[in-house]
Amino acid sequence: NILHEELVASSKVNTISFIRIGSLTGSKSKVVNTFLNEAQGGTPQNMFLTKDQDSRSVLNQGTIEKVWFAPEGQKGENLTDLTCVYNLRGDAYQFKEQWRFLQRVSTCIVVFIDGTLDKRKQDELKESFG
């Protein structure tokens, strides 16, 4: 048992992070939940709280939620390796420390962008992802 824990702790795993910049009319978490479940051949489940479920979301802005996705070998499953999935609550532009952390640890970052970003935020985003 200890050997398995050491192997998991020292293994390199894929890490996908989801962030948003600006305000969105829809729920980023709802899209991520669909990606983690239905798009992998599973049934609808909420891994991350959505705006509809969390009426006090203003209290936990800047929190990074984390889940592990473990593939089950189902037909239609696109994620085939153990994957760590992060979800930053709130506008990443306002939580730069958390954003930098996710940049360091992530294999892939999916950015949801408000279509009305000003030029300064657009330039900073481009610089951030080089």
Side-chain angles (χ1 to χ4, degrees), residues 15-56:
T15 304
I16 303 173
S17 294
F18 293 86
I19 66 172
R20 76 168 163 86
I21 297 177
S23 297
L24 301 174
T25 54
S27 171
K28 169 180 53 81
S29 295
K30 192 177 281 188
V31 173
V32 177
N33 288 335
T34 299
F35 168 73
L36 288 175
N37 294 294
E38 295 169 69
Q40 303 305 319
T43 57
Q45 293 183 53
N46 289 326
M47 306 300 280
F48 296 112
L49 288 175
T50 66
K51 290 179 185 179
D52 298 336
Q53 298 167 312
D54 186 12
S55 62
R56 297 180 183 235

Side-chain angles (χ1 to χ4, degrees), residues 32 37 62 75 84 94 101 110 114 118 121:
V32 177
N37 294 294
K75 184 177 181 179
C84 176
Q94 295 176 1
F101 166 77
V110 179
D114 175 5
D118 62 40
K121 284 185 180 180

Side-chain angles (χ1 to χ4, degrees), residues 65-108:
E65 299 173 297
K66 173 184 170 180
V67 298
W68 288 95
F69 177 84
E72 298 175 357
Q74 294 182 34
K75 184 177 181 179
E77 208 168 53
N78 295 303
L79 294 175
T80 57
D81 296 316
L82 180 64
T83 304
C84 176
V85 181
Y86 289 110
N87 183 34
L88 175 59
R89 308 253 334 182
D91 185 347
Y93 193 77
Q94 295 176 1
F95 301 102
K96 294 183 180 177
E97 185 176 339
Q98 290 89 328
W99 184 358
R100 284 190 295 272
F101 166 77
L102 293 174
Q103 287 176 307
R104 285 193 314 271
V105 302
S106 299
T107 307
C108 171

